[in-house]
Every structure is written in C-alpha cells, then in structure tokens.
Amino acid sequence: MGEKLLPEGLFASQVAQIRAKESKLLSDNDLQKLMQSESYEECLRLLRDRGWGSGDDLTAENLLRTERENLWKAMRGMCNEQEMHTFDIFRLPKDYHNFKAAIKEAYVQKEVPNIYLEGGTLPVEKIKAAAASGEFSGFSSQISGAASQAREVLFHTGDSQMCDVILDRAALFAMKQAAKESGNELLKEYAELKCVAANINIAIRACKAKKNMDFLQKAFAECDSISVSALMAAATEGIDAIYAYLEKSSYADALEAIKESPAAFDRWCDNRIITMIRPQKYNPFTISPLAAYVVAKENEIKSVKIILSGKINQLPEEKVKERLRESYV
C-alpha cells in the first residue's frame, strides 16, 4: 500500500500552516541561548518571549504541558478525524504506559501521584477503571489482550518486570501496526527505529541481568532492519557479542553512544529521527510534512525539558549540552 494522499485542496493550506509553524521552532542557537541563561526564571522568561505557554504558566511543568497541548490542538485544527488517526503512532505509547501505571496502582491498591502521561488516545480515567476491575472489553482486542495478560501476571506472581515487558512489547507492535496501516514511509521508518532501539536496550539490560532466552523471546519485538534471533543469541553470550553483532549491522554508528550510556543512545536515536524527517519538508502531497512537524516539536519539547531540568538542578552546562537533541531547523 502506498502513502495516503491528502485531498489536494486541503493540503496546500495545511502545508502553508506547517511552514509557518516550522519557522517558530527553536534552532540550535536558540537552545544554546536558553542554556546560557542566568537562571531557571530567566529561561522561562525567554521561552515565554518566544511564544511558549500562556500567561499562567509559571512553572516548567505547566509550560511544557501547555506547549504539548497547543501542538495537538493545532494538528486537530488542520486535520479531519481520519487524518488525525495517522498521528496515533506518537500517542499510543502513552496509552500503554498508562495501562502499566494503572495496573500497578490497582495492585498496590492506592493512588500514586504523577505516574500518568497526558496526550494518549484513551482517557486515563477509563484505563484506571478497567485496571481496577480487570475488565478490558471496552478496548481493542490488541490492547485488552495485552492488558489482561499483564494484569494477570502481576496479580498472580507479583512480577512487575514481566508486566512491563508484556505491555512494552505490545506498544511497539501497536506502533508498527499503526505505521503499516498509514501507508506512510516516514512513519514506517520511525516505528522501525523505535523497535530496534527498544530491542538493543533490552538486549543490553538482559545480558547484564543474565536473563535467559525465554525472557528475551517474550520481550523482543519484531524488526526488519536487524536480526532479532541473532541479537537475542548475542545477549545470552555477553556484552561483547552484542557489540560484535551491532558492529556488522546498519546501526554500527550507534555503538559509541550505546557504550557510553542509555541516555547517550536515546539521544542518538532522537538525532537520527531528526535527520530522517528533515527531507519531508520537501515531500508535498502526503501527510509526511505534518508528521515530521509533530516529531520535531516533540523533540524540541524534550530538549527544553532537559535544559529546564538542568537549571532547576544547577547542572553544569556541559552536562546539559551532551544530552540535548539536534534541532529540526
């Protein structure tokens, strides 16, 4: 199936709006200025001067929340309901995270503050009610199957790690499925990279924890650009075997970041995605420019969050800089 085309009469207007919004994205120089600001308060002021948030956003948490809400408000204003489903790939992981949170909250039988993510496709209260009752029939078969299995494992064995494994793997499958159904090549590449990154992280953590093949088979997600069986086998042999496999793969250029730290590898993945989406600025007649903007904006919000966190915790500028993502503009 080829990429889905937007109606030509609407698309010209949508692309024009996206171009205007792209011009307001923060550049690498803008991020540098934020880092060099004298204080947390000064950083917030600079962001508000750039149009971030609203007058009531006096904290980093509120500012970032408002910016993300504005992103999705803008996308809903440009797209009809069918087109908005194309962007579910970016929102589905939040649903699965919230199922994990709700099931664990139901297990301990008490509310835990600040564990849910906003911006998923499903209402958090509906997820919490299902997790408490164990009744997931109100969701898709894919979600209900994974959530039911995860809840059963946790409630019968107390194994919170396996609860996470079940839902994390299901989230990756859902992303891959959403990308396939969209017919959009950019979204397929995005989902593939997310799956590869997850598998590499699982392989390294499982290797260090000396997990067996049975665990790996339950945790790994299918990929097209790496051999899942080869990576699982390497994970049972040792960390050097993982590095040796990756050295021969199309992800060899990630090895330096992988060896450095999980945070460095996460940064490498985000930067690779930015490199991947930049050409979509010049790819009219598909929804790709809109999808690229969503990725770019989410990436920008992540970088700003890193800077604000650095200001709050008084981290050295170099420590913050090494975690920053590349700008889209």
Side-chain angles (χ1 to χ4, degrees), residues 98-125:
N98 289 340
F99 272 106
K100 288 193 296 184
I103 289 169
K104 291 176 182 179
E105 199 174 54
Y107 179 67
V108 299
Q109 296 186 338
K110 65 178 181 180
E111 291 191 3
V112 182
N114 303 318
I115 60 173
Y116 294 99
L117 297 178
E118 299 176 348
T121 68
L122 300 169
V124 170
E125 289 305 316

Side-chain angles (χ1 to χ4, degrees), residues 225-226 245-254 268 272:
S225 57
I226 62 170
Y245 170 73
L246 293 174
E247 184 71 53
K248 298 175 183 177
S249 75
S250 57
Y251 298 92
D253 56 336
W268 179 91
R272 178 151 173 164

Side-chain angles (χ1 to χ4, degrees), residues 109 183 217 219 237 275 288 317:
Q109 296 186 338
Q217 289 173 338
E237 295 176 25
T275 300
S288 294
E317 186 176 314

Side-chain angles (χ1 to χ4, degrees), residues 146-327:
S148 296
Q149 184 183 3
R151 189 181 190 278
E152 183 175 354
V153 165
L154 182 59
F155 275 66
H156 284 81
T157 69
D159 190 342
S160 62
Q161 183 182 44
M162 187 52 62
C163 172
D164 287 348
V165 162
I166 292 167
L167 286 164
D168 286 343
R169 187 173 187 269
L172 293 170
F173 179 84
M175 288 179 66
K176 291 275 282 187
Q177 188 67 23
K180 182 180 179 181
E181 290 175 359
S182 76
N184 184 279
E185 293 304 316
L186 171 64
L187 296 182
K188 290 178 185 177
E189 291 179 32
Y190 175 88
E192 175 68 11
L193 180 56
K194 288 292 185 180
C195 285
V196 169
N199 284 344
I200 290 173
N201 283 326
I202 291 167
I204 292 172
R205 290 197 301 268
C207 177
K208 292 179 178 179
K210 301 187 183 304
K211 295 289 186 180
N212 58 26
M213 183 62 75
D214 180 62
F215 174 87
L216 292 168
Q217 289 173 338
K218 291 176 181 176
F220 266 57
E222 287 299 319
C223 293
D224 300 318
S225 57
I226 62 170
S227 168
V228 170
S229 59
L231 185 56
M232 285 194 294
T236 62
E237 295 176 25
I239 196 71
D240 288 337
I242 294 174
Y243 294 157
Y245 170 73
L246 293 174
E247 184 71 53
K248 298 175 183 177
S249 75
S250 57
Y251 298 92
D253 56 336
L255 260 181
E256 182 178 350
I258 291 169
K259 291 178 180 180
E260 181 181 339
S261 68
F265 179 46
D266 187 45
R267 179 178 184 271
W268 179 91
C269 290
D270 284 345
N271 287 344
R272 178 151 173 164
I273 289 171
I274 289 296
T275 300
M276 182 175 74
I277 68 174
R278 280 196 183 112
Q280 300 308 321
K281 292 182 181 182
Y282 314 105
N283 183 19
F285 311 122
T286 77
I287 205 166
S288 294
L290 281 71
Y293 176 77
V294 171
V295 174
K297 188 64 185 180
E298 289 282 8
N299 195 68
E300 179 185 76
I301 291 171
K302 187 180 294 185
S303 286
V304 169
K305 182 177 181 179
I306 289 169
I307 293 172
L308 289 171
S309 177
K311 294 294 180 185
I312 293 171
N313 295 292
Q314 299 182 321
L315 297 178
E317 186 176 314
E318 284 305 309
K319 287 291 184 183
V320 176
K321 188 175 182 179
E322 67 187 19
R323 296 180 60 206
L324 280 190
R325 275 60 177 161
E326 290 181 12
S327 171

Side-chain angles (χ1 to χ4, degrees), residues 7-23:
E8 291 187 14
L10 294 176
F11 189 68
S13 172
Q14 290 169 314
V15 169
Q17 292 178 67
I18 284 297
R19 292 291 178 267
K21 292 183 179 301
E22 284 175 356
S23 69

